[in-house]
Amino acid sequence: MNTAELFASLTLDRNAAAPLFRQLYGAVKDAVLRGTLRSGMQLPPTRELCRLMGVSRQTVLNAWDQLMAEGYLSGTVGKGTFIGSQLPVGARTPAPRGLMRPLSARGTNYAGAMKYVGYHQGPVRAFRASMPGLDLFPFDVWSRLEARRWRRPDHHMGYSDPAGYAPLRELLCVYLRAARGVNCTPGQIIMTSGSQQGLYLLCALLLDPGDKVWVESPGYQGASAPLFAMGAQVCTVPVDEQGMDVAYGVARYPDAKMVLSTPSHQLPLGVTMSLQRRLELLRWAGANGAWIIEDDYDSEYRYTGPPLASLQGLDSADCTVYVGTLSKVLFPGLRLGYIVAPPALVEPIVRAKAALDRHNAIVPQMVLADFMGEGHFARHIKRTREAYAERRCALLDGIAARLGDQLRCGPADAGLDLCVFFQRALDQDQVARMALEQAVEARPLSYYASRVATPECATAPGLLLGFSSIKPAEIAHGLDVLEKVLRAAGKIQV
């Protein structure tokens, strides 16, 4: 096929969203890369091409300009237009479908570090776990504050401090000292893209491949993911009614370099680490040169008294790094978290943060500083704490009235979720699947089991039910569905 026949056979769609010149540009580019149009071939004059394809000369000229700018065509006045002379023959070689070049060993670790289950997809519904009530957030206030920042841009709109927006860190410091008993200065706070990035940075900075790390099992899988990615040795420690079993960890893994812990509110079991164990953990870490990473993800929400003080506030050896998030108290899409580091760790973390992503987006930090400084943050926490308490009662009362013979509730004095255990032998994964088929999310506790858990970490089968993101009426509907599912599951042999 000569070039004139090729262009005569091209079909341009006049109803498509893409302009005709973009379609012509794409067709010629593809023909060159496939080798149909080869290096050095001369193209017909533009006026002839207009006649062959039924388009205006300007359409052809626009396409040619783009192709020449990218090196696919070359030409001079009086000599004609040619396919670029420096292009290899058949520049685009089709690869077999499904062929993928192998990942590096490190890439394989990263890709396999975290399980993926299709929760948190689509509209919020009962009983979505670990999700704040988006219906309660004052988005109108937030949008007004953000619009004000965009109307008055300043020097902060350029490159910023990797540690974060200084006024926000100052306000966070005041809040953490007062509400969480964290012992810190603004200079110890480093803003991150959620707590997950904070955990990643700390694991990358403080661990070598093969280093042992205590993790709670069952526990938050996102905490273990950076450990697996870094090639650390994940050492699971069971959780009982007093929290992480420190004595078990000391006996089994005395040479560990790090502990990942959620002392204020353990996920998914909902227990709080006792003071005795907190002090025991701090003594062991201080004496053995180990780091404690305190993941404090939803401690603002305590319904039977004031929030508990942080573990970091008890530390006199600077071995505790406090990691927090704003996803639970504000909204997950904000992607803002923070690290409160011991003074000696601040500079290494800031340098590592700069290498990773330079700094977090500055406008959300500025807006959050305004949100906190003008009192909206404190009012929002108070409002959500009251609403979540009402939703928590709706769930507890509903279970007691209708499912008391089916479910036993775990600790319910804090957090956004309720852990429930089956009163009889049921397949928790099957129950969760059956509920999801009816648009109700009920995470099985097996979801939180570490893939390297020891037998001592086994827990009774059950579910994690979120209540904070759904209204009482939706909780009642979710319980309707869950009651039917549990009755049906009970008829299936386990």
Side-chain angles (χ1 to χ4, degrees):
M1 179 184 297
N2 60 36
T3 54
E5 292 172 334
L6 174 67
F7 282 99
S9 67
L10 289 179
T11 302
L12 304 181
D13 184 0
R14 286 169 168 75
N15 295 319
L20 293 178
F21 85 90
R22 292 296 301 181
Q23 296 181 49
L24 177 57
Y25 153 81
V28 174
K29 175 181 174 180
D30 188 60
V32 171
L33 293 174
R34 285 188 287 106
T36 306
L37 291 174
R38 295 182 299 278
S39 179
M41 290 181 65
Q42 184 172 10
L43 302 186
T46 55
R47 294 187 187 280
E48 183 180 348
L49 290 175
C50 295
R51 180 182 58 79
L52 288 170
M53 293 183 293
V55 296
S56 70
R57 188 161 182 260
Q58 193 60 49
T59 294
V60 177
L61 291 175
N62 288 343
W64 266 216
D65 285 345
Q66 185 66 33
L67 290 163
M68 285 184 177
E70 296 182 11
Y72 292 100
L73 300 183
S74 62
T76 55
V77 177
K79 292 187 177 180
T81 304
F82 300 83
I83 303 298
S85 58
Q86 303 300 317
L87 296 174
V89 176
R92 177 180 290 164
T93 303
R97 286 189 177 273
L99 179 66
M100 179 177 175
R101 294 170 180 82
L103 298 174
S104 66
R106 182 177 60 242
T108 301
N109 284 342
Y110 273 73
M114 193 164 180
K115 292 185 277 185
Y116 175 77
V117 177
Y119 297 111
H120 283 191
Q121 301 297 312
V124 175
R125 55 193 178 184
F127 293 98
R128 183 162 295 179
S130 303
M131 183 74 179
L134 299 182
D135 60 310
L136 300 171
F137 187 77
F139 286 104
D140 55 339
V141 173
W142 186 271
S143 61
R144 175 171 56 80
L145 296 175
E146 185 169 17
R148 187 174 68 190
R149 281 293 179 177
W150 285 119
R151 285 195 302 270
R152 303 173 187 172
D154 57 26
H155 68 279
H156 290 104
M157 295 297 185
Y159 289 107
S160 188
D161 185 345
Y165 183 54
L168 174 58
R169 293 157 63 206
E170 291 168 1
L171 288 163
L172 270 175
C173 180
V174 172
Y175 167 72
L176 291 172
R177 290 177 68 93
R180 301 295 305 116
V182 175
N183 183 20
C184 66
T185 65
Q188 291 175 252
I189 298 176
I190 302 102
M191 301 305 300
T192 60
S193 178
S195 60
Q196 194 67 36
Q197 187 187 57
L199 294 171
Y200 170 84
L201 281 167
L202 294 169
C203 292
L205 281 169
L206 304 178
L207 296 174
D208 289 317
D211 282 347
K212 295 178 182 178
V213 183
W214 298 6
V215 299
E216 300 163 338
S217 185
Y220 171 52
Q221 63 164 288
S224 296
L227 302 176
F228 288 119
M230 300 297 170
Q233 183 178 343
V234 175
C235 304
T236 56
V237 178
V239 179
D240 60 22
E241 64 278 1
Q242 294 188 63
M244 175 183 272
D245 189 341
V246 176
Y248 179 96
V250 171
R252 291 293 189 96
Y253 320 112
D255 56 342
K257 288 284 295 293
M258 180 183 286
V259 177
L260 294 186
S261 179
T262 55
S264 293
H265 184 234
Q266 204 273 339
L267 183 73
L269 301 182
V271 297
T272 298
M273 184 182 282
S274 67
L275 177 59
Q276 178 184 347
R277 288 199 179 168
R278 291 177 185 229
L279 296 175
E280 186 181 353
L281 178 59
L282 287 168
R283 279 196 300 269
W284 173 81
N288 290 273
W291 293 102
I292 300 171
I293 310 301
E294 179 180 8
D295 184 1
D296 199 22
Y297 63 98
D298 69 354
S299 56
E300 288 86 358
Y301 297 108
R302 189 167 182 83
Y303 310 109
T304 57
L308 300 179
S310 66
L311 176 70
Q312 190 265 8
L314 298 173
D315 181 14
S316 59
D318 277 349
C319 61
T320 304
V321 186
Y322 183 93
V323 177
T325 180
L326 293 154
S327 294
K328 302 296 187 273
V329 71
L330 298 179
F331 55 97
L334 184 60
R335 301 316 307 145
L336 277 179
Y338 49 88
I339 295 170
V340 181
L345 264 187
V346 170
E347 185 175 354
I349 294 174
V350 171
R351 288 181 179 273
K353 168 74 173 155
L356 188 64
D357 66 358
R358 188 58 178 85
H359 61 77
N360 289 85
I362 192 64
V363 173
Q365 295 183 68
M366 298 166 78
V367 176
L368 178 54
D370 295 340
F371 191 78
M372 296 182 76
E374 296 180 14
H376 305 295
F377 185 77
R379 286 191 290 272
H380 178 64
I381 291 178
K382 182 177 184 295
R383 180 188 180 201
T384 51
R385 188 181 289 134
E386 292 172 352
Y388 296 169
E390 178 188 4
R391 296 173 183 189
R392 163 184 166 271
C393 286
L395 180 58
L396 289 170
D397 292 347
I399 291 174
R402 302 168 53 181
L403 294 171
D405 63 329
Q406 297 277 345
L407 301 175
R408 173 175 61 86
C409 296
D413 56 348
L416 311 179
D417 315 299
L418 174 66
C419 177
V420 295
F421 302 97
F422 299 144
Q423 297 275 38
R424 53 182 173 151
L426 294 175
D427 184 328
Q428 59 186 326
D429 297 300
Q430 183 181 59
V431 169
R433 285 194 300 271
M434 292 170 67
L436 195 57
E437 289 170 359
Q438 298 187 53
V440 167
E441 298 177 19
R443 284 195 190 179
L445 296 184
S446 58
Y447 174 85
Y448 298 93
S450 172
R451 69 192 194 202
V452 294
T454 57
E456 294 86 351
C457 294
T459 189
L463 305 169
L464 188 69
L465 306 178
F467 56 81
S468 53
S469 63
I470 52 176
K471 298 176 182 179
E474 296 170 84
I475 289 174
H477 167 71
L479 289 174
D480 286 340
V481 172
L482 192 56
E483 182 178 16
K484 294 173 185 176
V485 166
L486 290 171
R487 306 281 181 204
K491 298 176 183 178
I492 302 172
Q493 186 69 34
V494 177

